[in-house]
DNA sequence: ATTATTATCCGTATAAATACGGATGCTTAA
DNA sequence: TTAAGCATCCGTATTTATACGGATAATAAT
C-alpha cells in the first residue's frame, strides 16, 4: 500500500507536534514535513513536490492559509489541501471551499474523523462534513454577508470608519468631499443591511473586515 | 522521583490528544486525565483530587477557563492551573494572573518551554515568560481598558448600544429618559477615552464586552 | 459599442450623537 | 456620619450621521 505523504502547516508548535505524534500511529500516513507558516510551506513545496496532502491552518503569520490556497490552486490535485482551523464561521468555510480546499476540519474534530478525511481526500475526493456544509449554506444564504457586496472604495471607507475616523477625517484622508464619504457611508449601511454605526462595526467585525 | 500528575482541559480534541502524545515521552509527567470543557474538569476534580497541574484552555464551551479558575481558586495550590491559550491579548493574561493561574502559555509555545514550565509550576512556582509579562504590563498601563471603569448601568447601556440600539430605544427599554442614556453615553465615551460610536464598539470588542 | 457598475459630487432636511453645565436623591465606604 | 460615587434627570448648542433625490465621468463587462 502506498503511504499518504502529508505536510502539517500550523503556527502552533504544540498542535503541530502533537498532531505529528498522533499520525505516527497510522502506517498509511507519513508526515513528511512540518512547517509553521505559509511561506515555509511554499518553500518546502518548491523543494519537494511529492506531497499528497497539506493540513493547512488558516491563521498563520507571514502567509496565512488563504494565501497558500491561492498560491497552490494551480497545483492541485497534485497536492490536496485540507483546512484545519478553529474558526467555524461560514465565511471562512465558504472562502476555503471556493479556493480549492478539499476539506475543512475544525480543531475539535475527533481523531477518527481526521484520519477518515485524510484517507478520502488522498484519493482525490473532496469531503465536507454536514455540520460544516450547513454553516457554509447559512452563510451563503445571508446575502448581506457575502463577498464583493462592497466596492473597493466602500471597503476602504469602512476600514477607516472602523478605525474610528469621522466622515470629515476620511474625506480629507482620501482627498474627496465629505459628501462623497457620506454617500459611501449610506451605501455601505444599505448594502450591509444595518441602520447605524454601532451595528455596522459589529457586522464588520463578524465579516472579519476589521 | 514523584511524577507530575497532569490533566488537559481543551475542547480541541486534536490538540488535546496530540498534547497527550507529546507528553507521553516525559517520564516525570503523567497525563492522568483529558477533558473537553470546564464542567468536565470540575467533575473530574471532584472524583480525583490528586492532580498537580491542569493545562487549561480559555475558550471552551459550557464552562470556560476563567470560570474554572474561579471555581478552583480556593483549591490551589493543591491543583495548579497553567493557562494554555491562543489569545495573547493583555486582558486575558491579566485576568488569568489575577485569578490565580500559575503560568500563561500560548499555543505556539515550543515544547521545551512547555515542559520547563510544567516542571517549574509543579514545584509551586509561578512562571510568566517575559513576552507574556510585557503584554500584561502594556494592558495594565492602558488604564482605560481596566475592569470596573464602567458602572453597572453604563455596562448595561454599552451592551445595548453594541447590539445596535439607538439612544431612544435603550431609553424605552430601561424605562428612563433619553437624556439619561445620552449622559451615560457621554460618560462611557469619556471613561473609555474614545470619541465616537465606531471607536466605542471597537474598544468594546477588544474588551470582550460584546 | 452599449450597458452596467463604480466613484465621484451636490443639496436639503431630519435624526442622532456629543459637549457643556447643572441638579437631586440614594447608596456605600471611609 | 460624612464624603464620594452613582443613577437619574434636564437644558442648550453644535456636530455628525442618516435619508432622499439627483447627476456625471470613468471603467468594466457583455
Amino acid at each position: 500500500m502506498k503511504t499518504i505523504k502529508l505536510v502539517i502547516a500550523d503556527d502552533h508548535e504544540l498542535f503541530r507536534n502533537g498532531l505529528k505524534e498522533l499520525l505516527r500511529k497510522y502506517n498509511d500516513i507519513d508526515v513528511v514535513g512540518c512547517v509553521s507558516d505559509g511561506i515555509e510551506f511554499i518553500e518546502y513545496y518548491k523543494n519537494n513536490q511529492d506531497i499528497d496532502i497539506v493540513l493547512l491552518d488558516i491563521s498563520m503569520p507571514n502567509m496565512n492559509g488563504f494565501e497558500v490556497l491561492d498560491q497552490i490552486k494551480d497545483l492541485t490535485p497534485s497536492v490536496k489541501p485540507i483546512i484545519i482551523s478553529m474558526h467555524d464561521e461560514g465565511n471562512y468555510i465558504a472562502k476555503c471551499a471556493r479556493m480549492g480546499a478539499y476539506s475543512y476540519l475544525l480543531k475539535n474534530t475527533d481523531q477518527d474523523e481526521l484520519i477518515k478525511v485524510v484517507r478520502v481526500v488522498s484519493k482525490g475526493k473532496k469531503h465536507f462534513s454536514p455540520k460544516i456544509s450547513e454553516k457554509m449554506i447559512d452563510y451563503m444564504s445571508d446575502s448581506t454577508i457575502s463577498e464583493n457586496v462592497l466596492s473597493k472604495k466602500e471597503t476602504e471607507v469602512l476600514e477607516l470608519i472602523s478605525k474610528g475616523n469621522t466622515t470629515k477625517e476620511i474625506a480629507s484622508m482620501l482627498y474627496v468631499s465629505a459628501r462623497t464619504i457620506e454617500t459611501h457611508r449610506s451605501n455601505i449601511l444599505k448594502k450591509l443591511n444595518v441602520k447605524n454605526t454601532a451595528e455596522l462595526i459589529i457586522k464588520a467585525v463578524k465579516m472579519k473586515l476589521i
Side-chain angles (χ1 to χ4, degrees), chain A residues 115-126:
Chain A
I115 301 303
K116 200 184 77 184
V117 169
V118 166
R119 287 175 181 153
V120 168
V121 169
S122 77
K123 288 174 190 142
K125 269 192 189 162
K126 297 194 178 189

Side-chain angles (χ1 to χ4, degrees), chain A residues 9-181:
Chain A
D10 194 301
D11 60 322
H12 291 159
E13 168 155 347
L14 289 176
F15 181 78
R16 200 169 62 232
N17 292 350
L19 199 52
K20 191 178 171 182
E21 286 297 325
L22 276 188
L23 294 175
R24 195 189 291 276
K25 285 187 266 179
Y26 300 88
N27 293 325
D28 58 333
I29 299 172
D30 187 12
V31 179
V32 295
C34 258
V35 295
S36 65
D37 67 41
I39 287 181
E40 273 184 41
F41 173 72
I42 297 296
E43 205 56 44
Y44 181 97
Y45 189 77
K46 275 185 193 156
N47 301 319
N48 188 341
Q49 311 216 343
D50 186 19
I51 310 174
D52 297 302
I53 286 178
V54 55
L55 293 183
L56 196 58
D57 188 22
I58 300 290
S59 40
M60 293 186 292
N62 300 325
M63 184 190 278
N64 65 34
F66 295 128
E67 294 169 294
V68 172
L69 284 178
D70 194 47
Q71 293 255 330
I72 65 173
K73 64 175 184 295
D74 302 325
L75 309 173
T76 59
S78 90
V79 56
K80 294 169 272 294
I82 294 176
I83 303 302
I84 189 152
S85 165
M86 60 201 172
H87 304 285
D88 68 343
E89 286 93 357
N91 58 338
Y92 273 47
I93 301 169
K95 199 167 177 181
C96 290
R98 199 163 11 83
M99 291 178 86
Y102 272 64
S103 184
Y104 190 108
L105 300 175
L106 297 179
K107 286 198 175 173
N108 63 1
T109 302
D110 69 65
Q111 206 168 319
D112 294 341
E113 172 78 3
L114 169 68
I115 301 303
K116 200 184 77 184
V117 169
V118 166
R119 287 175 181 153
V120 168
V121 169
S122 77
K123 288 174 190 142
K125 269 192 189 162
K126 297 194 178 189
H127 176 86
F128 289 79
S129 78
K131 205 179 129 198
I132 291 293
S133 303
E134 196 187 316
K135 288 266 181 193
M136 182 161 41
I137 287 159
D138 281 355
Y139 168 75
M140 297 293 209
S141 63
D142 181 356
S143 58
T144 67
I145 304 186
S146 74
E147 282 100 81
N148 308 323
V149 283
L150 297 186
S151 69
K152 273 185 192 173
K153 253 303 175 288
E154 285 164 343
T155 306
E156 195 179 2
V157 170
L158 176 51
E159 274 166 14
L160 290 170
I161 293 172
S162 59
K163 279 176 186 135
N165 299 293
T166 66
T167 297
K168 270 190 188 173
E169 287 166 351
I170 297 170
S172 69
M173 281 175 194
L174 302 183
Y175 306 106
V176 296
S177 116
R179 309 297 177 112
T180 304
I181 303 303

